[in-house]
């Protein structure tokens, strides 16, 4: 889970399996308190490629309903991102 509006990389992220939060919701409630100013969140599965690396992705950013820019991220390599 991470903020969905104007965030990039792991800004305000919390990781865990659904079962983790079913067993103990406390970390999720703390996350909610820490991010109470956020209005939207992205719930995204953590998926690995067959070689064990994190999937690449292209993040598209829309402002007031119009596409503004895209960012390609190469897994978790902070050197490997390109803004379009």
């Amino acid at each position: 889970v991470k903020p969905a509006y104007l965030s990039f990389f792991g800004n305000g992220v919390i990781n865990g399996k659904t079962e983790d939060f079913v067993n103990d919701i406390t970390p999720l409630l703390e996350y909610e308190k820490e991010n109470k100013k956020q209005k939207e969140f992205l719930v995204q599965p953590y998926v690995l490629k067959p070689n064990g690396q994190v999937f690449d992705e292209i993040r598209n950013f829309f402002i007031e309903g119009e596409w503004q820019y895209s960012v390609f991220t190469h897994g978790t390599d902070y050197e490997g991102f390109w803004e379009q």
Side-chain angles (χ1 to χ4, degrees), residues 13-32:
V13 71
I14 184 171
N15 295 312
K17 297 178 182 173
T18 302
E19 183 178 327
D20 298 337
F21 300 115
V22 169
N23 293 334
D24 180 13
I25 198 168
T26 306
L28 192 57
L29 295 174
E30 288 298 318
Y31 176 79
E32 179 185 29

Side-chain angles (χ1 to χ4, degrees), residues 2 11 20 25 35 38-39 43-44 47-48 53 57 62 65 69 78-80 84:
K2 59 185 170 184
N11 181 28
D20 298 337
I25 198 168
N35 292 279
Q38 298 294 333
K39 304 281 186 223
V43 178
Q44 182 177 14
V47 181
L48 298 177
Q53 293 182 347
E57 62 182 293
F62 293 79
Y69 62 97
Y78 290 99
E79 298 292 321
Q84 299 293 316

Side-chain angles (χ1 to χ4, degrees), residues 8-9 56-61 67 69-84:
F8 186 57
F9 287 107
D56 305 331
E57 62 182 293
I58 297 174
R59 300 174 185 190
N60 289 286
F61 294 83
W67 177 85
Y69 62 97
S70 297
V71 177
F72 169 79
T73 61
H74 179 63
T76 56
D77 178 5
Y78 290 99
E79 298 292 321
F81 65 91
W82 296 270
E83 187 173 330
Q84 299 293 316

